[in-house]
Structures are given as C-alpha cells and as structure tokens.
Amino acid sequence: VYANPIYKHKSASRTLGTLLVIQDVTDIRKLETMRKDFVSNVTHELNTPLTSIRGFVDTLKHGAISDEKIANRFLDIIDIETERLSLLIQDILSLSAIESTDQDKRVDEYDIKEIIDEVLDILEPKIKKKNIEIINDINQGLTYRCNRDRIKQLFINLLDNAIKYTEKGQVGITCSRDEQGLKIDIWDTGIGIEEEHIPRLFERFYRVDKGRSRNMGGTGLGLSIVKHIVELYKGRIDVVSRVGEGSRFVIFLPYGEVNE
Ligand code: ADP
C-alpha cells in the first residue's frame, strides 16, 4: 500500500487539500513478478537447446565430422534440439496471441467429432509409436460455435499429453451437451499425477518431471495454453488423477453469444 501525499490543483496557487491514494499493489507486484519469471524461464528454455546445438556444431567443426557414425549421431541431436526450439517458439506465440485477445470470435458452428478426428490424424504418428488404444466415443452432430483453430488447439494439447504420458493403455474422449454448454472428457490410463502437483499444472513451464517432459518433446506450456483457451470461452477445467492409474481432464465450455 502506498500514499500519494499532496495534491495541488493546477489552476490554484494554493494547496486545496490532501488527497490520500490508497491502492493495493499486491496484484500489480504479483503480475510484475510473474512477467519477470516468465521472461527468465523463456530465456532459460531457449538457451538450453541453443547451447546444445552450438556445442555439437563446434565439436563437428573440430574434427568429429570426419567420423560418419559420430557425425550422424550429432546431426540427429541437432535436429531434435532445433525441433524443440521450434515447438517452444510456436507455443510462446500461441500463448501471447491468446493473452492479447479478451474474447474469441465465435465464427461458426463446428462439429466436435470432425475436429477430434482431425486431431487424432495429426497425432497418429505418435500413437503408432506406442501401445495405445484410442477410445473415441464422440457422436457426429455435437456442434459448438467457436473459433475452430482455437478449440482444435485445446484438443491437440490435451490429447498430446494423454498420449505422451501413457506408454501402454488407453486414451479416451467423450463429449456431451446440456442447455448450458459442452462437456468434454479426455482421459488416459497413463502414469498419472501426484495430488500435490495438480494445483500447479496450469502454470507456465510447470512440469512434474522436467527431464521426462523434455524427452517427450514437451515445452511445459501446453496446459497453460489450455487454461487460457478455456478462460477465453468462460469455461472450466477440472483434473482428476491417480499415480499409476491415469488422468482425466474434464472441460466445460458454455455456449456464447454470436459475435462476428
Ligand atoms: P509438457 O509440455 O511438459 O507436457 P504441459 O503444460 O502440457 O507441459 O503439462 C504440464 C505437466 O503436467 C507435464 O509436464 C506433466 O508432468 C503433467 N501432465 C500433463 N498432462 C498429463 C497426463 N495426461 N498424464 C500425466 N501427466 C500429465
């Protein structure tokens, strides 16, 4: 709390009185700290793959290039690190695009099943690499008025996680509607999440296990993007999870006014 002591009216030559401004700066400070943390996290996250790329390029230049086997291994690492940088930049851009929007244009009515089928096609190469059965329980005809790309991104992030954190088992999607909106349920029988981590999952760059997330190609921003999209649609997201049994993300998206 701070006070702004003396207030002098411009046209008056004498002091008219004292204006005491009491403002709670806790929220402002909190926002400022969050912004600083974000910048320092981004810098760190960008620097890690960059340092690794530079190191391997340097080693190649200093002789490793003449050993084909080693050179190929290093080039593969450089490829993975470049991909990581690219994913990270895409996620940072998505997050900043969502944050600078206060309301999404609900362009048209879209079929949820069609969006989910498209998302599953995109994720097919990742599904194929594992022993995962997809249980797609969504019927045709469930529509939602939204910005299609945004809702597609929400499903990509949640399904990508469900697949990433399940080695062997099932990943399921169900969807239902009532007078108020749409309820979407994305669940998996994967590794699960300890209870103590659940309240922090939606924070930017928060990961239960940093190394594991990185190895899986995670940026630590996926759920933070999900949370922002759900908030943009004035919806809700709940998580239920048990270690070793799996996780369930339940999203409620209310219907909104048509805003062209
Ligand atoms: P990441 O890119 O690391 O996956 P996210 O923001 O998408 O970042 O998720 C944050 C963290 O939440 C992950 O690092 C992981 O520890 C945990 N998590 C998210 N979804 C799941 C899931 N379906 N099963 C187990 N853990 C999950």
Side-chain angles (χ1 to χ4, degrees):
V1 174
Y2 71 91
N4 194 4
I6 307 254
Y7 171 71
K8 250 188 190 176
H9 193 278
K10 270 199 183 117
S11 61
S13 54
R14 64 196 168 83
T15 302
L16 294 175
T18 302
L19 178 72
L20 185 67
V21 181
I22 298 177
Q23 189 183 1
D24 188 349
V25 291
T26 325
D27 282 348
I28 301 173
R29 289 237 174 86
K30 233 190 245 166
L31 269 178
E32 183 57 15
T33 312
M34 271 170 68
R35 195 191 61 78
K36 279 188 186 152
D37 283 355
F38 181 62
V39 171
S40 96
N41 273 326
V42 165
T43 313
H44 174 76
E45 297 287 335
L46 288 173
N47 258 329
T48 311
L50 264 181
T51 310
S52 156
I53 291 169
R54 286 172 78 174
F56 283 106
V57 168
D58 214 41
T59 321
L60 282 169
K61 274 167 71 180
H62 284 91
I65 197 142
S66 50
D67 183 329
E68 200 180 328
K69 220 169 138 193
I70 291 181
N72 278 329
R73 222 182 70 220
F74 286 4
L75 285 172
D76 282 346
I77 298 172
I78 292 171
D79 205 22
I80 291 168
E81 298 290 10
T82 314
E83 168 75 7
R84 178 171 299 165
L85 273 178
S86 155
L87 286 176
L88 187 61
I89 291 165
Q90 272 173 36
D91 275 358
I92 293 169
L93 290 177
S94 298
L95 200 58
S96 113
I98 302 164
E99 279 187 334
S100 54
T101 321
D102 11 296
Q103 203 182 20
D104 226 356
K105 276 208 175 100
R106 295 192 183 240
V107 187
D108 216 334
E109 293 268 346
Y110 296 104
D111 194 297
I112 295 295
K113 181 167 167 48
E114 273 175 28
I115 304 179
I116 293 283
D117 286 347
E118 225 173 276
V119 170
L120 289 173
D121 281 345
I122 295 170
L123 298 173
E124 182 66 20
K126 291 187 181 183
I127 300 167
K128 269 191 174 157
K129 279 190 193 155
K130 299 186 158 190
N131 194 352
I132 292 177
E133 180 193 6
I134 301 286
I135 312 216
N136 183 353
D137 268 340
I138 301 188
N139 298 323
Q140 204 103 30
L142 275 173
T143 59
Y144 187 62
R145 186 173 280 278
C146 60
N147 170 344
R148 194 178 194 280
D149 287 344
R150 204 83 84 188
I151 295 302
K152 186 171 158 189
Q153 169 137 48
L154 173 98
F155 293 144
I156 290 183
N157 289 8
L158 287 171
L159 281 167
D160 186 48
N161 276 349
I163 294 159
K164 235 171 17 190
Y165 300 108
T166 306
E167 264 328 295
K168 179 176 176 286
Q170 294 174 323
V171 167
I173 317 121
T174 59
C175 182
S176 60
R177 73 189 305 169
D178 61 21
E179 322 76 72
Q180 266 121 43
L182 225 53
K183 187 180 148 240
I184 302 129
D185 201 331
I186 296 185
W187 57 270
D188 63 69
T189 58
I191 60 171
I193 307 158
E194 276 168 48
E195 208 178 330
E196 61 185 278
H197 296 288
I198 291 184
R200 300 198 59 193
L201 287 187
F202 296 93
E203 287 176 22
R204 295 145 161 185
F205 295 116
Y206 188 82
R207 293 131 154 161
V208 173
D209 181 331
K210 227 175 192 162
R212 184 173 54 207
S213 155
R214 281 229 177 90
N215 289 339
M216 302 281 178
T219 62
L221 291 175
L223 284 183
S224 163
I225 292 173
V226 164
K227 187 189 106 186
H228 278 83
I229 297 176
V230 171
E231 281 174 357
L232 208 54
Y233 282 79
K234 301 190 168 46
R236 254 191 353 257
I237 181 156
D238 294 313
V239 189
V240 190
S241 188
R242 198 164 287 176
V243 176
E245 289 184 21
S247 311
R248 180 181 291 272
F249 289 77
V250 183
I251 303 135
F252 173 72
L253 294 174
Y255 303 124
E257 299 291 310
V258 182
N259 52 341
E260 300 299 335

mmCIF file of all heavy atoms in Angstrom, residues 132-135 157-173 185-193 239-249:
data_model
loop_
_atom_site.group_PDB
_atom_site.id
_atom_site.type_symbol
_atom_site.label_atom_id
_atom_site.label_comp_id
_atom_site.label_asym_id
_atom_site.label_seq_id
_atom_site.Cartn_x
_atom_site.Cartn_y
_atom_site.Cartn_z
ATOM 1 N N ILE A 132 -1.054 -47.941 -27.624
ATOM 2 C CA ILE A 132 -2.205 -47.210 -27.089
ATOM 3 C C ILE A 132 -3.454 -47.462 -27.931
ATOM 4 O O ILE A 132 -3.417 -47.385 -29.159
ATOM 5 C CB ILE A 132 -1.910 -45.692 -27.062
ATOM 6 C CG1 ILE A 132 -0.830 -45.388 -26.016
ATOM 7 C CG2 ILE A 132 -3.158 -44.894 -26.752
ATOM 8 C CD1 ILE A 132 -0.428 -43.933 -25.962
ATOM 9 N N GLU A 133 -4.536 -47.745 -27.196
ATOM 10 C CA GLU A 133 -5.822 -47.904 -27.876
ATOM 11 C C GLU A 133 -6.607 -46.600 -27.678
ATOM 12 O O GLU A 133 -6.743 -46.113 -26.553
ATOM 13 C CB GLU A 133 -6.585 -49.076 -27.230
ATOM 14 C CG GLU A 133 -7.924 -49.329 -27.853
ATOM 15 C CD GLU A 133 -8.780 -50.277 -26.998
ATOM 16 O OE1 GLU A 133 -8.358 -50.639 -25.868
ATOM 17 O OE2 GLU A 133 -9.870 -50.635 -27.468
ATOM 18 N N ILE A 134 -7.102 -46.037 -28.772
ATOM 19 C CA ILE A 134 -7.865 -44.793 -28.672
ATOM 20 C C ILE A 134 -9.353 -45.123 -28.604
ATOM 21 O O ILE A 134 -9.867 -45.864 -29.452
ATOM 22 C CB ILE A 134 -7.598 -43.866 -29.889
ATOM 23 C CG1 ILE A 134 -6.109 -43.516 -30.001
ATOM 24 C CG2 ILE A 134 -8.464 -42.609 -29.830
ATOM 25 C CD1 ILE A 134 -5.584 -42.523 -28.997
ATOM 26 N N ILE A 135 -10.020 -44.609 -27.563
ATOM 27 C CA ILE A 135 -11.457 -44.855 -27.458
ATOM 28 C C ILE A 135 -12.175 -43.545 -27.764
ATOM 29 O O ILE A 135 -12.291 -42.666 -26.902
ATOM 30 C CB ILE A 135 -11.799 -45.383 -26.044
ATOM 31 C CG1 ILE A 135 -10.819 -46.492 -25.705
ATOM 32 C CG2 ILE A 135 -13.278 -45.756 -25.958
ATOM 33 C CD1 ILE A 135 -11.266 -47.624 -24.944
ATOM 34 N N ASN A 157 -3.527 -30.189 -27.507
ATOM 35 C CA ASN A 157 -2.680 -30.154 -26.312
ATOM 36 C C ASN A 157 -3.069 -31.231 -25.303
ATOM 37 O O ASN A 157 -2.206 -31.897 -24.726
ATOM 38 C CB ASN A 157 -2.738 -28.772 -25.658
ATOM 39 C CG ASN A 157 -2.026 -27.724 -26.490
ATOM 40 O OD1 ASN A 157 -1.626 -27.994 -27.615
ATOM 41 N ND2 ASN A 157 -1.847 -26.541 -25.958
ATOM 42 N N LEU A 158 -4.382 -31.407 -25.083
ATOM 43 C CA LEU A 158 -4.802 -32.387 -24.074
ATOM 44 C C LEU A 158 -4.578 -33.826 -24.553
ATOM 45 O O LEU A 158 -4.112 -34.681 -23.783
ATOM 46 C CB LEU A 158 -6.272 -32.171 -23.710
ATOM 47 C CG LEU A 158 -6.531 -30.925 -22.862
ATOM 48 C CD1 LEU A 158 -8.012 -30.672 -22.739
ATOM 49 C CD2 LEU A 158 -5.906 -31.072 -21.468
ATOM 50 N N LEU A 159 -4.869 -34.078 -25.822
ATOM 51 C CA LEU A 159 -4.678 -35.447 -26.323
ATOM 52 C C LEU A 159 -3.197 -35.772 -26.486
ATOM 53 O O LEU A 159 -2.765 -36.894 -26.243
ATOM 54 C CB LEU A 159 -5.427 -35.634 -27.649
ATOM 55 C CG LEU A 159 -6.928 -35.857 -27.466
ATOM 56 C CD1 LEU A 159 -7.674 -35.711 -28.772
ATOM 57 C CD2 LEU A 159 -7.202 -37.249 -26.878
ATOM 58 N N ASP A 160 -2.424 -34.766 -26.867
ATOM 59 C CA ASP A 160 -0.981 -34.963 -26.994
ATOM 60 C C ASP A 160 -0.398 -35.360 -25.629
ATOM 61 O O ASP A 160 0.403 -36.295 -25.535
ATOM 62 C CB ASP A 160 -0.337 -33.666 -27.510
ATOM 63 C CG ASP A 160 1.144 -33.841 -27.795
ATOM 64 O OD1 ASP A 160 1.490 -34.829 -28.450
ATOM 65 O OD2 ASP A 160 1.949 -33.005 -27.342
ATOM 66 N N ASN A 161 -0.846 -34.695 -24.576
ATOM 67 C CA ASN A 161 -0.392 -35.048 -23.224
ATOM 68 C C ASN A 161 -0.825 -36.461 -22.848
ATOM 69 O O ASN A 161 -0.028 -37.240 -22.323
ATOM 70 C CB ASN A 161 -0.974 -34.080 -22.190
ATOM 71 C CG ASN A 161 -0.155 -32.813 -22.077
ATOM 72 O OD1 ASN A 161 0.936 -32.726 -22.613
ATOM 73 N ND2 ASN A 161 -0.687 -31.826 -21.384
ATOM 74 N N ALA A 162 -2.101 -36.769 -23.103
ATOM 75 C CA ALA A 162 -2.629 -38.094 -22.741
ATOM 76 C C ALA A 162 -1.764 -39.181 -23.401
ATOM 77 O O ALA A 162 -1.432 -40.198 -22.774
ATOM 78 C CB ALA A 162 -4.076 -38.213 -23.174
ATOM 79 N N ILE A 163 -1.371 -38.941 -24.661
ATOM 80 C CA ILE A 163 -0.547 -39.920 -25.394
ATOM 81 C C ILE A 163 0.899 -39.921 -24.873
ATOM 82 O O ILE A 163 1.507 -40.968 -24.661
ATOM 83 C CB ILE A 163 -0.597 -39.628 -26.917
ATOM 84 C CG1 ILE A 163 -2.017 -39.869 -27.431
ATOM 85 C CG2 ILE A 163 0.415 -40.464 -27.688
ATOM 86 C CD1 ILE A 163 -2.336 -39.167 -28.734
ATOM 87 N N LYS A 164 1.407 -38.694 -24.637
ATOM 88 C CA LYS A 164 2.791 -38.551 -24.158
ATOM 89 C C LYS A 164 3.019 -39.273 -22.833
ATOM 90 O O LYS A 164 4.033 -39.918 -22.634
ATOM 91 C CB LYS A 164 3.053 -37.059 -23.924
ATOM 92 C CG LYS A 164 4.233 -36.550 -24.654
ATOM 93 C CD LYS A 164 4.433 -35.052 -24.657
ATOM 94 C CE LYS A 164 3.737 -34.197 -23.668
ATOM 95 N NZ LYS A 164 3.873 -32.761 -23.992
ATOM 96 N N TYR A 165 2.030 -39.160 -21.947
ATOM 97 C CA TYR A 165 2.219 -39.711 -20.595
ATOM 98 C C TYR A 165 1.546 -41.074 -20.405
ATOM 99 O O TYR A 165 1.227 -41.459 -19.290
ATOM 100 C CB TYR A 165 1.777 -38.680 -19.553
ATOM 101 C CG TYR A 165 2.591 -37.402 -19.684
ATOM 102 C CD1 TYR A 165 2.028 -36.232 -20.198
ATOM 103 C CD2 TYR A 165 3.940 -37.393 -19.354
ATOM 104 C CE1 TYR A 165 2.799 -35.075 -20.356
ATOM 105 C CE2 TYR A 165 4.710 -36.253 -19.514
ATOM 106 C CZ TYR A 165 4.130 -35.099 -20.009
ATOM 107 O OH TYR A 165 4.894 -33.961 -20.173
ATOM 108 N N THR A 166 1.307 -41.772 -21.524
ATOM 109 C CA THR A 166 0.789 -43.144 -21.453
ATOM 110 C C THR A 166 1.675 -43.993 -22.355
ATOM 111 O O THR A 166 1.776 -43.725 -23.553
ATOM 112 C CB THR A 166 -0.680 -43.206 -21.963
ATOM 113 O OG1 THR A 166 -1.447 -42.266 -21.229
ATOM 114 C CG2 THR A 166 -1.281 -44.588 -21.797
ATOM 115 N N GLU A 167 2.343 -44.976 -21.785
ATOM 116 C CA GLU A 167 3.196 -45.844 -22.604
ATOM 117 C C GLU A 167 2.370 -46.934 -23.256
ATOM 118 O O GLU A 167 2.540 -47.274 -24.415
ATOM 119 C CB GLU A 167 4.278 -46.488 -21.726
ATOM 120 C CG GLU A 167 5.616 -45.769 -21.719
ATOM 121 C CD GLU A 167 5.963 -45.081 -23.034
ATOM 122 O OE1 GLU A 167 6.153 -45.791 -24.045
ATOM 123 O OE2 GLU A 167 6.051 -43.827 -23.052
ATOM 124 N N LYS A 168 1.444 -47.471 -22.440
ATOM 125 C CA LYS A 168 0.682 -48.638 -22.881
ATOM 126 C C LYS A 168 -0.665 -48.513 -22.178
ATOM 127 O O LYS A 168 -0.711 -48.257 -20.975
ATOM 128 C CB LYS A 168 1.435 -49.884 -22.389
ATOM 129 C CG LYS A 168 0.809 -51.203 -22.710
ATOM 130 C CD LYS A 168 1.757 -52.312 -22.235
ATOM 131 C CE LYS A 168 1.159 -53.682 -22.422
ATOM 132 N NZ LYS A 168 0.106 -53.992 -21.472
ATOM 133 N N GLY A 169 -1.733 -48.606 -22.929
ATOM 134 C CA GLY A 169 -3.042 -48.496 -22.294
ATOM 135 C C GLY A 169 -4.048 -47.824 -23.193
ATOM 136 O O GLY A 169 -4.014 -47.996 -24.419
ATOM 137 N N GLN A 170 -4.920 -47.015 -22.562
ATOM 138 C CA GLN A 170 -5.991 -46.407 -23.343
ATOM 139 C C GLN A 170 -6.019 -44.897 -23.180
ATOM 140 O O GLN A 170 -5.661 -44.357 -22.130
ATOM 141 C CB GLN A 170 -7.339 -46.953 -22.854
ATOM 142 C CG GLN A 170 -7.502 -48.438 -23.125
ATOM 143 C CD GLN A 170 -8.769 -48.960 -22.490
ATOM 144 O OE1 GLN A 170 -9.156 -48.541 -21.409
ATOM 145 N NE2 GLN A 170 -9.396 -49.900 -23.177
ATOM 146 N N VAL A 171 -6.479 -44.256 -24.245
ATOM 147 C CA VAL A 171 -6.733 -42.818 -24.205
ATOM 148 C C VAL A 171 -8.147 -42.636 -24.748
ATOM 149 O O VAL A 171 -8.471 -43.158 -25.815
ATOM 150 C CB VAL A 171 -5.715 -42.046 -25.085
ATOM 151 C CG1 VAL A 171 -6.168 -40.609 -25.301
ATOM 152 C CG2 VAL A 171 -4.321 -42.065 -24.443
ATOM 153 N N GLY A 172 -8.975 -41.941 -23.989
ATOM 154 C CA GLY A 172 -10.375 -41.821 -24.409
ATOM 155 C C GLY A 172 -10.872 -40.386 -24.472
ATOM 156 O O GLY A 172 -10.337 -39.490 -23.810
ATOM 157 N N ILE A 173 -11.892 -40.205 -25.322
ATOM 158 C CA ILE A 173 -12.513 -38.880 -25.440
ATOM 159 C C ILE A 173 -14.028 -39.080 -25.454
ATOM 160 O O ILE A 173 -14.542 -39.882 -26.248
ATOM 161 C CB ILE A 173 -12.150 -38.172 -26.775
ATOM 162 C CG1 ILE A 173 -10.683 -38.355 -27.094
ATOM 163 C CG2 ILE A 173 -12.520 -36.690 -26.759
ATOM 164 C CD1 ILE A 173 -10.468 -39.040 -28.403
ATOM 165 N N ASP A 185 -14.518 -34.762 -22.058
ATOM 166 C CA ASP A 185 -13.770 -35.547 -21.096
ATOM 167 C C ASP A 185 -12.615 -36.240 -21.833
ATOM 168 O O ASP A 185 -12.863 -37.000 -22.756
ATOM 169 C CB ASP A 185 -14.777 -36.599 -20.587
ATOM 170 C CG ASP A 185 -14.399 -37.175 -19.281
ATOM 171 O OD1 ASP A 185 -13.197 -37.231 -19.011
ATOM 172 O OD2 ASP A 185 -15.309 -37.585 -18.531
ATOM 173 N N ILE A 186 -11.387 -35.902 -21.461
ATOM 174 C CA ILE A 186 -10.235 -36.547 -22.104
ATOM 175 C C ILE A 186 -9.472 -37.308 -21.027
ATOM 176 O O ILE A 186 -9.012 -36.710 -20.053
ATOM 177 C CB ILE A 186 -9.355 -35.490 -22.818
ATOM 178 C CG1 ILE A 186 -10.177 -34.862 -23.953
ATOM 179 C CG2 ILE A 186 -8.039 -36.118 -23.330
ATOM 180 C CD1 ILE A 186 -9.478 -33.894 -24.836
ATOM 181 N N TRP A 187 -9.405 -38.620 -21.167
ATOM 182 C CA TRP A 187 -8.812 -39.432 -20.090
ATOM 183 C C TRP A 187 -7.756 -40.399 -20.633
ATOM 184 O O TRP A 187 -7.710 -40.687 -21.826
ATOM 185 C CB TRP A 187 -9.917 -40.194 -19.342
ATOM 186 C CG TRP A 187 -10.759 -41.085 -20.218
ATOM 187 C CD1 TRP A 187 -11.906 -40.723 -20.874
ATOM 188 C CD2 TRP A 187 -10.517 -42.456 -20.576
ATOM 189 N NE1 TRP A 187 -12.386 -41.784 -21.606
ATOM 190 C CE2 TRP A 187 -11.563 -42.862 -21.438
ATOM 191 C CE3 TRP A 187 -9.527 -43.377 -20.253
ATOM 192 C CZ2 TRP A 187 -11.643 -44.149 -21.970
ATOM 193 C CZ3 TRP A 187 -9.594 -44.669 -20.782
ATOM 194 C CH2 TRP A 187 -10.657 -45.034 -21.623
ATOM 195 N N ASP A 188 -6.910 -40.830 -19.715
ATOM 196 C CA ASP A 188 -5.903 -41.815 -20.118
ATOM 197 C C ASP A 188 -5.616 -42.759 -18.969
ATOM 198 O O ASP A 188 -5.965 -42.478 -17.821
ATOM 199 C CB ASP A 188 -4.606 -41.109 -20.580
ATOM 200 C CG ASP A 188 -3.938 -40.315 -19.476
ATOM 201 O OD1 ASP A 188 -3.414 -40.933 -18.515
ATOM 202 O OD2 ASP A 188 -3.926 -39.062 -19.552
ATOM 203 N N THR A 189 -5.003 -43.892 -19.301
ATOM 204 C CA THR A 189 -4.628 -44.850 -18.253
ATOM 205 C C THR A 189 -3.102 -44.825 -18.082
ATOM 206 O O THR A 189 -2.473 -45.857 -17.880
ATOM 207 C CB THR A 189 -5.107 -46.275 -18.605
ATOM 208 O OG1 THR A 189 -4.523 -46.630 -19.872
ATOM 209 C CG2 THR A 189 -6.612 -46.363 -18.717
ATOM 210 N N GLY A 190 -2.533 -43.628 -18.201
ATOM 211 C CA GLY A 190 -1.085 -43.475 -18.153
ATOM 212 C C GLY A 190 -0.493 -43.357 -16.754
ATOM 213 O O GLY A 190 -1.052 -43.891 -15.786
ATOM 214 N N ILE A 191 0.595 -42.600 -16.660
ATOM 215 C CA ILE A 191 1.387 -42.569 -15.425
ATOM 216 C C ILE A 191 0.686 -41.859 -14.266
ATOM 217 O O ILE A 191 1.015 -42.078 -13.110
ATOM 218 C CB ILE A 191 2.779 -41.922 -15.647
ATOM 219 C CG1 ILE A 191 2.638 -40.477 -16.151
ATOM 220 C CG2 ILE A 191 3.620 -42.743 -16.601
ATOM 221 C CD1 ILE A 191 3.955 -39.716 -16.191
ATOM 222 N N GLY A 192 -0.252 -40.969 -14.591
ATOM 223 C CA GLY A 192 -0.962 -40.248 -13.530
ATOM 224 C C GLY A 192 -0.122 -39.127 -12.922
ATOM 225 O O GLY A 192 1.062 -38.957 -13.256
ATOM 226 N N ILE A 193 -0.757 -38.338 -12.054
ATOM 227 C CA ILE A 193 -0.089 -37.166 -11.468
ATOM 228 C C ILE A 193 -0.322 -37.168 -9.953
ATOM 229 O O ILE A 193 -1.458 -37.359 -9.500
ATOM 230 C CB ILE A 193 -0.690 -35.858 -12.060
ATOM 231 C CG1 ILE A 193 -0.654 -35.891 -13.591
ATOM 232 C CG2 ILE A 193 0.020 -34.622 -11.519
ATOM 233 C CD1 ILE A 193 -1.643 -34.961 -14.254
ATOM 234 N N VAL A 239 -9.256 -31.485 -13.092
ATOM 235 C CA VAL A 239 -8.338 -32.613 -13.293
ATOM 236 C C VAL A 239 -8.532 -33.624 -12.168
ATOM 237 O O VAL A 239 -8.583 -33.244 -10.996
ATOM 238 C CB VAL A 239 -6.859 -32.159 -13.226
ATOM 239 C CG1 VAL A 239 -5.930 -33.275 -13.655
ATOM 240 C CG2 VAL A 239 -6.631 -30.905 -14.041
ATOM 241 N N VAL A 240 -8.643 -34.860 -12.544
ATOM 242 C CA VAL A 240 -8.666 -35.935 -11.554
ATOM 243 C C VAL A 240 -7.570 -36.900 -11.992
ATOM 244 O O VAL A 240 -7.508 -37.260 -13.166
ATOM 245 C CB VAL A 240 -10.009 -36.702 -11.568
ATOM 246 C CG1 VAL A 240 -10.101 -37.648 -10.385
ATOM 247 C CG2 VAL A 240 -11.183 -35.763 -11.621
ATOM 248 N N SER A 241 -6.708 -37.280 -11.062
ATOM 249 C CA SER A 241 -5.624 -38.161 -11.474
ATOM 250 C C SER A 241 -5.143 -39.012 -10.305
ATOM 251 O O SER A 241 -5.246 -38.602 -9.146
ATOM 252 C CB SER A 241 -4.471 -37.307 -11.997
ATOM 253 O OG SER A 241 -3.486 -38.132 -12.557
ATOM 254 N N ARG A 242 -4.627 -40.159 -10.661
ATOM 255 C CA ARG A 242 -4.043 -41.026 -9.630
ATOM 256 C C ARG A 242 -2.778 -41.666 -10.209
ATOM 257 O O ARG A 242 -2.819 -42.191 -11.330
ATOM 258 C CB ARG A 242 -5.065 -42.088 -9.226
ATOM 259 C CG ARG A 242 -4.717 -42.711 -7.897
ATOM 260 C CD ARG A 242 -5.855 -43.449 -7.303
ATOM 261 N NE ARG A 242 -6.907 -42.582 -6.776
ATOM 262 C CZ ARG A 242 -8.038 -43.039 -6.281
ATOM 263 N NH1 ARG A 242 -8.289 -44.322 -6.269
ATOM 264 N NH2 ARG A 242 -8.930 -42.206 -5.799
ATOM 265 N N VAL A 243 -1.704 -41.581 -9.425
ATOM 266 C CA VAL A 243 -0.424 -42.115 -9.905
ATOM 267 C C VAL A 243 -0.566 -43.595 -10.252
ATOM 268 O O VAL A 243 -1.117 -44.363 -9.477
ATOM 269 C CB VAL A 243 0.677 -41.910 -8.841
ATOM 270 C CG1 VAL A 243 1.991 -42.543 -9.272
ATOM 271 C CG2 VAL A 243 0.880 -40.430 -8.593
ATOM 272 N N GLY A 244 -0.071 -43.936 -11.428
ATOM 273 C CA GLY A 244 -0.086 -45.336 -11.862
ATOM 274 C C GLY A 244 -1.412 -45.770 -12.446
ATOM 275 O O GLY A 244 -1.523 -46.862 -13.015
ATOM 276 N N GLU A 245 -2.438 -44.942 -12.330
ATOM 277 C CA GLU A 245 -3.758 -45.346 -12.849
ATOM 278 C C GLU A 245 -4.181 -44.503 -14.050
ATOM 279 O O GLU A 245 -4.831 -44.982 -14.968
ATOM 280 C CB GLU A 245 -4.815 -45.235 -11.755
ATOM 281 C CG GLU A 245 -4.641 -46.316 -10.705
ATOM 282 C CD GLU A 245 -5.736 -46.287 -9.666
ATOM 283 O OE1 GLU A 245 -6.812 -45.724 -9.932
ATOM 284 O OE2 GLU A 245 -5.489 -46.814 -8.564
ATOM 285 N N GLY A 246 -3.840 -43.220 -14.018
ATOM 286 C CA GLY A 246 -4.194 -42.370 -15.158
ATOM 287 C C GLY A 246 -4.739 -41.012 -14.764
ATOM 288 O O GLY A 246 -4.802 -40.672 -13.574
ATOM 289 N N SER A 247 -5.122 -40.250 -15.777
ATOM 290 C CA SER A 247 -5.594 -38.881 -15.552
ATOM 291 C C SER A 247 -6.838 -38.611 -16.381
ATOM 292 O O SER A 247 -7.043 -39.233 -17.420
ATOM 293 C CB SER A 247 -4.534 -37.870 -15.967
ATOM 294 O OG SER A 247 -3.293 -38.200 -15.416
ATOM 295 N N ARG A 248 -7.618 -37.650 -15.868
ATOM 296 C CA ARG A 248 -8.836 -37.270 -16.572
ATOM 297 C C ARG A 248 -8.958 -35.756 -16.538
ATOM 298 O O ARG A 248 -8.895 -35.149 -15.456
ATOM 299 C CB ARG A 248 -10.024 -37.924 -15.852
ATOM 300 C CG ARG A 248 -11.383 -37.634 -16.443
ATOM 301 C CD ARG A 248 -12.457 -38.319 -15.608
ATOM 302 N NE ARG A 248 -12.403 -39.769 -15.725
ATOM 303 C CZ ARG A 248 -13.039 -40.472 -16.654
ATOM 304 N NH1 ARG A 248 -13.781 -39.855 -17.551
ATOM 305 N NH2 ARG A 248 -12.948 -41.772 -16.688
ATOM 306 N N PHE A 249 -9.060 -35.142 -17.694
ATOM 307 C CA PHE A 249 -9.252 -33.694 -17.783
ATOM 308 C C PHE A 249 -10.677 -33.459 -18.271
ATOM 309 O O PHE A 249 -11.049 -33.935 -19.343
ATOM 310 C CB PHE A 249 -8.239 -33.065 -18.752
ATOM 311 C CG PHE A 249 -6.829 -33.059 -18.210
ATOM 312 C CD1 PHE A 249 -6.058 -34.212 -18.212
ATOM 313 C CD2 PHE A 249 -6.284 -31.897 -17.678
ATOM 314 C CE1 PHE A 249 -4.767 -34.212 -17.692
ATOM 315 C CE2 PHE A 249 -4.988 -31.886 -17.158
ATOM 316 C CZ PHE A 249 -4.228 -33.054 -17.164
#
